Amino acid sequence: MKRGIFRRIIAVFMIAFILFWSAIPSITMAFFISPGTPITPGQAITPGQPITGGQFIIPGEVIEPGTPINGGQTYQPGLSLNGGISPVSGQPIIPPYNSNTGQFLIPNIAGTLPINWLQTGTPISTGDNITGGNATDGGEGPSGGKAPTGGDASPTGNPLKGGNATIEGEGPSGGEGPSGGESPTGGDGNTAGEGPTGGEGPTAGETPTAGDGPSNGESPTGNSLDSGNGGEGGNLETGTTDGSGDTSSGNSSSGELSLLNILFSSTITENGPLGVVAGLLKDGKRYITGFAKPFMEGMSAFYAGFRLEELKSGNYKVHGKNQLKNPILNYFYDNYKKYKLDGRDAYLPAGKSNPKPYKVTTFLDGKKIANFDSFKSGVSSVWKSVKSGLNDGFNIFSKKFYSLSNLGKLNGPLNIGANVLSNVGKHGQQAFKSTEFYADLTVDLAIGAGTTAVSSIASSIAAGAIGGSVVPGLGTAVGAFAGLLVGVGISLGINGTDTGRRLKKWASDGVNAGYKAVTNTAKNVWNGAKNLFGFG
């Protein structure tokens, strides 16, 4: 007990000692500290006088150029060395005259060697000139002969088959041209509705060689049937044209495409394997990504009861099932609810959100559904649909043109590539060196862009008129079907009718003429530049 009390006393003492040792000096000094006099602010420093500018430095006089140094006289060459003494100082190391004796070269080695003059031998005597002999006898040239048939017409000046055109004076197919009563040159027979060469003999009443010998006058083929008025190639083997109204190398197949060829480009085999590949890409875009996918998405949304209801607040309520039991239909339904919002992926869930108007408008624009709330909104929404279609398929400066999602729709570079492949297959290995290739490619791309624009307008209007924002799924399905019908109709009009083929041919020829003019001008400018600078 006493020990515990003692310990407490010691502890209290130690604490008091520590407080005294550390705190008492500070407290004691505080009693003697008095505040000093506050510092009064002084006068503001006034700025001094500005430094005045000095005198302007006067530039010195310009040094005048001196008198140019007159060039001296040009160095006059001396006399050429001609076996004598050189006009320049010194003597040549080797004498300028001929020496029959050589000199022994002293090798640079230790010791001494005997030095003897090299003994010259007898110079080689020249032989006799080779006699030229007699020239080969010229002989006589081949006998000129005579003309093969003495200059008379083959059938005494009468046309083939008794003076009538082939097959009783009509066109190659019963009096009509190869395509609906017109020939490849504007509705007449091969040569203006007459026989193959104007109703006369094979060469207008002359012999096949124009009555002259093979090397006097015209060639053995002269004006034969093979150089008549057949389309481009000049052969009358088929007398028909391809789909563009031209003959391909003179032996193309029929210019009229069948209904199957028009509906499915992959069935056209005339352009080779590349043309078939291009046709598969075009058919895939038209029937799968352009029609089947949006049609299935719209119908699955319609089946799920997906619809939009405008609320009094201005927002919208999304009705419909959240998902479908069928996995295939649910896949299309889920894709239908996806859209782009300010460049980001967005989703419009059914039954769980009240989206604001701008989200609903963006969603409907993405589905290419026209908004007919007003005339202005209708025009604006249709134009957005057209612009979107052209950017996806033809605008190489659009960022979306190269996106993976766009490539998945067989759009963008794949769409351009399909047209390139089909024309490469048509024009062959020299396609890229031919202006006809670029002209046909330009016309095909122009027709494709026009078809896309018109189809987008029809699809958007049909979707907005049928479904709108009330049942957008049904509108999307109807719009996809309308776009397909318009696209197929345009193809039938261009490739399935005489007028359409002629218009396409006319456009291609016009573009080709322009390209040729540009290339010829460029060649002339280039050649002129080379000649100007001495590279010609």
Side-chain angles (χ1 to χ4, degrees):
M1 181 68 179
K2 291 182 179 180
R3 178 179 290 181
I5 295 174
F6 179 74
R7 288 179 176 177
R8 291 176 183 175
I9 293 173
I10 292 299
V12 171
F13 177 78
M14 292 295 294
I15 293 171
F17 179 77
I18 292 172
L19 290 175
F20 178 81
W21 186 264
S22 60
I24 290 299
S26 299
I27 297 173
T28 303
M29 292 178 65
F31 288 110
F32 298 99
I33 296 174
S34 59
T37 304
I39 298 174
T40 57
Q43 298 295 325
I45 298 174
T46 58
Q49 297 296 324
I51 299 174
T52 58
Q55 297 295 324
F56 177 73
I57 298 176
I58 301 174
E61 296 180 356
V62 179
I63 299 175
E64 297 293 336
T67 304
I69 299 173
N70 294 326
Q73 298 295 324
T74 58
Y75 175 76
Q76 300 296 329
L79 299 175
S80 61
L81 186 63
N82 192 20
I85 300 174
S86 172
V88 297
S89 63
Q91 296 295 327
I93 295 175
I94 300 174
Y97 48 82
N98 296 330
S99 176
N100 293 329
T101 61
Q103 294 181 355
F104 184 82
L105 298 177
I106 301 174
N108 188 16
I109 59 175
T112 61
L113 294 174
I115 302 175
N116 297 318
W117 292 105
L118 182 67
Q119 299 298 325
T120 61
T122 304
I124 299 172
S125 61
T126 60
D128 297 329
N129 294 330
I130 299 173
T131 59
N134 296 326
T136 304
D137 293 337
E140 296 179 357
S143 59
K146 297 180 181 181
T149 55
D152 295 329
S154 301
T156 65
N158 294 325
L160 298 176
K161 292 187 182 294
N164 296 326
T166 305
I167 308 179
E168 299 183 1
E170 298 180 353
S173 57
E176 296 181 354
S179 56
E182 297 179 356
S183 69
T185 56
D188 297 326
N190 290 342
T191 52
E194 299 177 358
T197 53
E200 299 177 358
T203 54
E206 299 177 358
T207 62
T209 57
D212 296 322
S215 60
N216 183 18
E218 301 179 0
S219 64
T221 57
N223 295 324
S224 64
L225 293 174
D226 287 343
S227 61
N229 296 324
E232 291 190 8
N235 296 326
L236 295 177
E237 297 178 14
T238 58
T240 54
T241 61
D242 61 10
S244 62
D246 301 340
T247 59
S248 298
S249 302
N251 292 321
S252 67
S253 60
S254 175
E256 293 186 9
L257 295 176
S258 65
L259 181 60
L260 182 64
N261 294 151
I262 296 174
L263 294 179
F264 298 97
S265 300
S266 56
T267 61
I268 303 175
T269 59
E270 282 79 2
N271 296 333
L274 292 179
V276 174
V277 172
L280 289 173
L281 290 174
K282 292 179 181 180
D283 292 342
K285 178 188 174 184
R286 170 181 285 181
Y287 295 106
I288 298 177
T289 62
F291 169 69
K293 183 177 181 292
F295 182 82
M296 289 299 298
E297 290 177 353
M299 291 306 297
S300 63
F302 179 68
Y303 176 74
F306 185 87
R307 61 187 181 86
L308 301 172
E309 179 187 1
E310 186 176 4
L311 303 176
K312 294 181 179 180
S313 61
N315 294 340
Y316 285 81
K317 181 176 179 59
V318 184
H319 296 276
K321 297 179 181 180
N322 187 36
Q323 61 181 2
L324 297 176
K325 294 181 179 180
N326 187 296
I328 297 177
L329 292 179
N330 189 63
Y331 168 78
F332 288 110
Y333 180 44
D334 190 64
N335 279 340
Y336 186 76
K337 290 181 286 186
K338 297 176 182 179
Y339 67 104
K340 291 286 185 179
L341 182 64
D342 298 330
R344 297 177 291 104
D345 292 331
Y347 192 79
L348 198 66
K352 294 183 178 181
S353 64
N354 294 327
K356 294 182 179 180
Y358 80 94
K359 290 185 177 181
V360 173
T361 301
T362 305
F363 172 81
L364 295 177
D365 289 340
K367 303 305 174 184
K368 298 181 180 180
I369 300 176
N371 179 11
F372 290 117
D373 291 343
S374 65
F375 177 79
K376 182 178 180 180
S377 63
V379 172
S380 176
S381 57
V382 170
W383 168 243
K384 288 180 180 178
S385 177
V386 173
K387 184 178 179 181
S388 175
L390 294 177
N391 285 339
D392 292 350
F394 300 93
N395 187 5
I396 61 175
F397 302 104
S398 172
K399 293 182 179 179
K400 190 178 179 182
F401 181 84
Y402 304 97
S403 66
L404 293 178
S405 60
N406 198 39
L407 291 175
K409 299 176 183 178
L410 301 181
N411 246 328
L414 292 179
N415 180 53
I416 302 295
N419 288 277
V420 173
L421 287 178
S422 63
N423 281 284
V424 169
K426 176 181 177 182
H427 292 276
Q429 297 180 351
Q430 302 297 322
F432 294 102
K433 298 180 180 179
S434 169
T435 55
E436 287 82 0
F437 164 78
Y438 294 102
D440 288 346
L441 177 60
T442 302
V443 173
D444 287 345
L445 291 176
I447 293 174
T451 302
T452 299
V454 177
S455 299
S456 297
I457 293 173
S459 175
S460 180
I461 292 176
I466 299 299
S469 62
V470 180
V471 280
L474 180 61
T476 299
V478 173
F481 187 72
L484 176 65
L485 287 180
V486 171
V488 171
I490 293 176
S491 295
L492 287 172
I494 293 176
N495 298 315
T497 64
D498 296 336
T499 302
R501 287 191 293 269
R502 282 197 296 269
L503 288 175
K504 183 178 179 181
K505 176 69 167 53
W506 172 81
S508 182
D509 290 344
V511 175
N512 183 38
Y515 285 166
K516 283 187 175 180
V518 172
T519 54
N520 291 335
T521 302
K523 287 180 180 178
N524 293 333
V525 172
W526 174 251
N527 292 332
K530 289 197 300 183
N531 294 331
L532 179 63
F533 293 101
F535 296 104

